[in-house]
Amino acid sequence: MSCISTIPSKLTACAAHISGPDSNRYHEELYVGPSVRRTMKYGWSMRGFGPHLNEFSTIGHEQHRIRRAAVAPFFSKMLVQQLEPSVQAMIDKLLSRLERLKGTGTLINLVDVFPCLTADIICQYAFASPYGCLDAPDFAPTWHRVVMDVSVAFHLFKQFPWIETMIRQIPTGMMKKMVPRMGALILLSEMVREKIDKVQTDLQQGRKMEGQRTIFHDLFTNNQLPPGEKTTERLEAEGVGLVAAGRTRKLTKFTLSRTMTGALTLSVISYNILAQPAILQKLQRELGEALPRLGPQSKWSQLEQLPYLSAVVQEGFRCVPVALERHFWLLRLTASRRAYGVSHRLQRISPDVDLKYKEYSIPRGTPVGMTSVLMHDNPSLFPSPHTFAPERWLQPSSAQLRKYVVPFSKGTRQCLGMNLAYSELYLTIAALFSPFNGLQFELFETSDADAEVVHDFFNPDHAAESRGIRVKVV
């Protein structure tokens, strides 16, 4: 039976949550574009982010439209395809690293490897230089852990925002000594600030841009963006927000992790491919027939035409939604071989008009949310929802089901990185599991329990006792 529940509690203001076997169709009515109505985020749920200086954490409708319009073109499908060589370069670097480890018996933890890849991809794509995680001898496990460390604090700051304000006053040097692992995020912020300063100086001195342009070229030269939106502090928040759940050089913002959700999707897909030999066999058969025809550098636009590879990616997104809002303190997700990028409702507010769900009238100004986890696990739409089964997307009825898989959410707040995420997933999976790359992966003492996500610290996290998803290159 469909239900709408109003949940007053000490933790949240009065809010509505919509769920049920036949509620999935309402998603398109709740998460709408600007031509339908104005939409705001729920201010209380955004308190954990500190000052709302980047596109993701912006609450108001009008200000969000201004900020999103400035950065959205940089992540259009056309531009992602133009800059695809920068993504491929990072994947090639990873393959080179793995080739050197072939036959050595070295254990490789995919939970560390894929955050390195996605961090270097977004830095290379947006800032024209990688962060350097893939160059670390051990695939920089500190990077993964520090992002999770900061993520844990999100819930604390949401409940007690004065703690976040107090921490922002701690000097950078002292923070490095107090929490050494924070140095990775501080270094990222410094790199972003250097990029901003260089672009600003070049524009002031009339120098021509050389090489790949960065997102900051687009922002500084955007005549539609007010001067107040071009301050170094705000652009630094926008830049860091593209990469990591961290803070700026002065630890002044809590932004989101676009790298960890993409990395989690790659980890879970890879685990299921290796844990289910039938999936690996079908995938390699298709790649073996297609790649010689597509050439040595297959493009995303070509790979997305491959039916089984597309089914693997689609099933991965069903199991691992990547839109970035999570709000439970601890959430046990017991589905086998699964992990979720979103465990909580994505709350939206209609400030001007009442909303209608069946016989229920929802007053304007009420935070209303739906949960992609519940949508993607709806057995009336997805039989055996806890099973990773790419074949479900090869059925004649699958075309109708795709609209019920919403890993990037929809409407005005749809994830900016959707096209880049698709590109990196198709290119990475095809490269790693190509039958022609000379690489074979073998799971090492890894079970379903190691691949499960059991904590929701804004970013998902595995159990403390999990040793990760460990493989050998043979």
Side-chain angles (χ1 to χ4, degrees), residues 67-250:
R67 290 176 174 177
R68 187 179 181 91
V71 296
F74 204 76
F75 293 94
S76 68
K77 187 169 186 177
M78 182 180 69
L79 194 56
V80 168
Q81 290 175 333
Q82 288 179 8
L83 295 178
E84 190 172 298
S86 68
V87 177
Q88 187 64 57
M90 296 300 101
I91 297 173
D92 291 343
K93 179 183 283 190
L94 173 60
L95 291 178
S96 178
R97 287 286 314 276
L98 296 175
E99 176 66 33
R100 294 197 295 271
L101 295 173
K102 180 180 177 180
T104 64
T106 302
L107 292 182
I108 304 167
N109 199 331
L110 299 184
V111 172
D112 296 328
V113 170
F114 288 130
C116 289
L117 174 66
T118 54
D120 277 3
I121 283 177
I122 186 59
C123 286
Q124 177 65 47
Y125 180 88
F127 312 142
S129 60
Y131 186 46
C133 288
L134 286 174
D135 296 320
D138 55 354
F139 290 104
T142 300
W143 169 251
H144 170 233
R145 286 316 323 163
V146 72
V147 172
M148 296 312 308
D149 288 347
V150 179
S151 295
V152 172
F154 166 76
H155 301 281
L156 179 67
F157 296 154
K158 185 169 65 173
Q159 302 294 337
F160 307 103
W162 59 268
I163 297 179
E164 193 272 344
T165 302
M166 181 179 66
I167 290 178
R168 282 192 280 120
Q169 309 306 314
I170 300 176
T172 299
M174 184 180 297
M175 178 60 72
K176 286 182 178 180
K177 293 180 180 179
M178 293 171 58
V179 189
R181 288 199 297 204
M182 282 296 295
L185 288 178
I186 294 171
L187 181 63
L188 170 65
S189 297
E190 291 173 345
M191 183 188 81
V192 170
R193 183 174 285 263
E194 288 175 4
K195 292 289 184 182
I196 294 172
D197 291 343
K198 184 179 186 306
V199 171
Q200 197 169 29
T201 300
D202 289 348
L203 291 173
Q204 289 173 349
Q205 297 180 0
R207 297 175 188 163
K208 292 185 178 180
M209 182 186 66
E210 298 180 358
Q212 178 187 326
R213 73 179 188 182
T214 72
I215 192 170
F216 302 120
H217 285 95
D218 285 17
L219 295 177
F220 273 122
T221 58
N222 188 327
N223 295 326
Q224 303 301 315
L225 201 59
E229 294 290 314
K230 298 181 183 181
T231 65
T232 299
E233 182 183 27
R234 204 200 76 75
L235 295 185
E236 186 179 352
E238 200 72 79
V240 176
L242 293 173
V243 184
R247 301 168 182 274
T248 65
R249 186 166 58 98
K250 291 294 185 180

Side-chain angles (χ1 to χ4, degrees), residues 411-429:
T412 58
R413 305 298 181 115
Q414 186 177 49
C415 178
L416 271 174
M418 179 177 67
N419 292 312
L420 184 59
Y422 270 111
S423 175
E424 70 183 17
L425 255 71
Y426 272 97
L427 294 172
T428 301
I429 294 170

